[in-house]
Structures are given as C-alpha cells and as structure tokens.
Amino acid sequence: MQFGAVLQTHPPASRTLALAKLAEQHGFEYAWTFDSHLLWEEPYVIYSQILNETHRIKVGPMVTNPATRDWTVTASIFATLNEMYGNRTICGIGRGDSAVRATNGAPTTLKTLRESIHVIRELANSRPVEYNGATVQFPWSHGSELEVWVAAYGPLALKLTGEVGDGFILQLADLDIAEWMIKTVRDAAEKAGRDPLSIRFCVAAPMYIGDDWQHMRDQCRWFGGMVGNHVADIVSKYGADSSVPKALTDYIAGRQGYDYNEHGQAGNTHAEFVPDEIVDRFCLLGPAENHIKKLRALKELGVDQFAGYLQHDNKEETLRVYGESVIPALRDHITATA
C-alpha cells in the first residue's frame, strides 16, 4: 500500500511546503491538496515549490473540477510541471464541490466530467485531442505522463469512474462502503471491456494519532460534514432508498445546511450533526495499532493507496508515527503475505 498526505493550502505557503517535505521524509509517496482557489491559496503555484524541494513525492489536487479551470490550462500546468521535475504529478478530479459552491455554482454534469478527463489526460500525456472542434496538442511537450483519478460517490459517477478513470478516489474509510464502491467501479470497468484490476483505488480520510477519543473526534468531525454535502446530492437525485449503502445516507437526516467558509476545518459548526459513530467509521483515529488494523482491512478490499487528511492540531506527530510505525507495518504485511 502507498501513502499520501492531504494538505490544505492555507497560508503561509511555507507551512504547506514544510508538511509536504516532512511527509516525504516519513515515507509518503504523494502530497495531495484541496483545490478551492477562493477559500485557500493557489495550489498549482505551491506544487512547483514542493517539487523543487523534494525528491520523489508526487503532487496533485484532491480534487480539481472541470468548471472553475479551463481544461487545456489544467493540462498545461501538469505537462509543464512534468517537464520541469520529471513525471511527478497526478490529477484527482470530480464534478466540483467547494470550488464551485463558494461562487453559488453547481457541480458539472457527468458528461462534462467525462469529456474533461479525456481532454486533460490526452494533452498532459503529450498527445493530440479534439477540443471545441479543433485538434490541439502541446508542441513543446514530450514524454509527459499523467494519471487521472476520479472522485465519486453516486452510482452513475462510480460507473463513469470504472469506464474512464485511471484510479478511484473514495473520500471516506468505512469498510462496508468501500467494499460496495470498489465492486461497483470494478463491475463498470469489466462491462466497459477494461481490466477491473487496472484501476487504482485510493481511500482518503482524516488520520489522527492520539488517545483522547473525544478530542480526536471533534477535530475530525468536519470530514463527515464535507462528505455529507455529496451524500445530500445523492439522496436528492436517487432518493433515500437507492442502492447506495444506508451507512452512507442515513446520517445526513439531521443536516441543516453548510457554510463553505468553514469547509475542511476542525471545529466546523455545520458538522455538529455528524455522530461519533460516523466519525469513527469514516476516519482513522487512535493509536498506531488501530490505524494498522483498519489499513490492512482496506488493503484486503483492494485499496492501493491511503491518503490521510491533516486538517487537525496534531499534524507533525501523526506524520511521525505513520513514518515510524504505520507505513513500515503495512509494507511488512504486504511482503509477508505476497
């Protein structure tokens, strides 16, 4: 299993850079960031600095969207970073959440998402593509490589992921939900004539090393509120009795709106409806052995990467314990069972 750290580009940028460097030192292979240009600093500027001051870590958004950024510009950024620093980028993409809702916009259609994935991937892999009726290509780009991983929750978005995604990003660490979603994506891939095992699976959720359970839960409760935004869209579209697991849909019954100015922040007052049980199921909390046990279970389900959110008050210690205990245990486990 590989590991990523999910950072928020809250100023100062030097803090984001320091955490990315620390993550690499502790064995993490990926430094992901939010991509909400109004709420936080511009991530693509910071990626260049991270790549310049690290050696092997890959960078990318978790996640960008097709609405707030021109697709060709997005592709050009990745291709440029790859030319400058080697192929050390990855693109997470979804229909849009905080970046579009902060301007009273709405997530894009799945059709738009599908088209954007194709355009971004072809251009960022130094290939020509049809865009707005023209054949376009970066004449300066040679040998650039970019995988596009799709973030999804609902049945149709999961189907799209299986059909076109290089990877799938599931933003929660509930074992039952992960099992259902991985199977749904793989089934869609098989029906589309793809190798289901060719798709990489990433589970992204807050990771907090500690022993004060109430404090940890309160620091990570924001995540259930963030996931709730996507679940509310699913319930609105498919109803509460859809094929989506009840473990994902039932908890939002008490949801009463959301303030994106508190998005992704510990202490988010619009996440009070999220019960402790959901925080425990969606996140990785507690001592190292708790994290190792859950990560091994996720690995058995087919998860290739765990990306841990660090939007809490124990960032450095969590990275340290992962580097010294959690990551080695997962790597030893893989070797022992190979």
Side-chain angles (χ1 to χ4, degrees), residues 18-324:
L19 287 169
K21 292 170 67 175
L22 188 61
E24 181 178 75
Q25 291 166 16
H26 285 305
F28 288 77
E29 290 96 347
Y30 293 85
W32 301 89
T33 73
F34 287 63
D35 178 15
S36 299
H37 61 289
L38 285 173
L39 299 179
W40 305 294
E41 293 182 320
E42 175 55 47
Y44 293 103
V45 176
I46 298 173
Y47 292 161
S48 188
Q49 192 71 6
I50 291 173
L51 291 170
N52 188 57
E53 297 197 25
T54 56
H55 303 286
R56 55 177 179 76
I57 206 163
K58 290 187 175 183
V59 300
M62 186 176 282
V63 294
T64 193
N65 70 87
T68 58
R69 299 184 184 275
D70 181 271
W71 311 343
T72 63
V73 175
T74 296
S76 180
I77 292 170
F78 285 115
T80 300
L81 290 173
N82 285 341
E83 189 279 324
M84 293 173 69
Y85 302 106
N87 291 317
R88 293 171 56 199
T89 63
I90 187 167
C91 179
I93 193 169
R95 294 173 56 220
D97 184 37
S98 58
V100 295
R101 296 187 198 267
T103 57
N104 287 326
T108 66
T109 65
L110 290 174
K111 179 177 182 292
T112 297
L113 177 59
R114 182 188 297 269
E115 292 171 351
S116 71
I117 291 168
H118 177 65
V119 170
I120 292 169
R121 180 163 49 205
E122 294 306 293
L123 287 175
N125 280 278
S126 303
R127 297 190 291 259
V129 71
E130 295 294 317
Y131 179 70
N132 284 345
T135 300
V136 295
Q137 185 174 10
F138 301 138
W140 46 265
S141 178
H142 306 282
S144 177
E145 296 177 4
L146 179 75
E147 290 187 351
V148 181
W149 292 26
V150 186
Y153 290 100
L156 290 180
L158 293 170
K159 178 175 178 289
L160 178 149
T161 303
E163 291 170 348
V164 304
D166 295 309
F168 167 48
I169 297 172
L170 170 58
Q171 289 166 303
L172 55 85
D174 180 271
L175 296 174
D176 294 334
I177 295 171
E179 182 177 20
W180 176 79
M181 289 193 173
I182 289 172
K183 182 180 185 303
T184 301
V185 171
R186 283 183 170 160
D187 287 349
E190 187 170 19
K191 289 180 181 178
R194 303 180 68 196
D195 178 4
L197 298 180
S198 68
I199 301 173
R200 305 283 302 284
F201 291 90
C202 172
V203 160
M207 55 179 179
Y208 195 120
I209 296 288
D211 54 17
D212 185 336
W213 282 91
Q214 194 56 52
H215 180 75
M216 289 187 293
R217 287 167 177 151
D218 289 343
Q219 283 286 300
C220 298
R221 200 175 307 276
W222 64 266
F223 184 70
M226 184 185 84
V227 173
N229 297 326
H230 301 285
V231 177
D233 286 344
I234 294 171
V235 172
S236 176
K237 182 176 179 63
Y238 299 101
D241 298 322
S242 69
S243 61
V244 179
K246 292 292 186 182
L248 183 59
T249 59
D250 283 356
Y251 85 96
I252 68 163
R255 181 178 179 270
Q256 297 180 344
Y258 191 82
D259 183 359
Y260 276 90
N261 290 311
E262 297 183 356
H263 187 64
Q265 296 181 24
N268 184 329
T269 57
H270 290 78
E272 293 174 350
F273 72 94
V274 181
D276 287 349
E277 178 192 2
I278 288 294
V279 180
D280 293 351
R281 292 183 67 165
F282 284 12
C283 304
L284 276 77
L285 311 176
E289 53 265 31
N290 288 37
H291 294 242
I292 293 168
K293 180 180 179 180
K294 192 166 189 177
L295 288 168
R296 285 178 172 169
L298 288 167
K299 174 64 181 177
E300 291 299 316
L301 294 177
V303 174
D304 302 288
Q305 180 187 155
F306 171 67
Y309 285 88
L310 285 172
Q311 285 66 54
H312 54 64
D313 61 2
N314 199 32
K315 298 176 179 64
E316 284 84 358
E317 176 66 5
T318 295
L319 287 173
R320 183 190 68 79
V321 174
Y322 260 73
E324 294 182 2

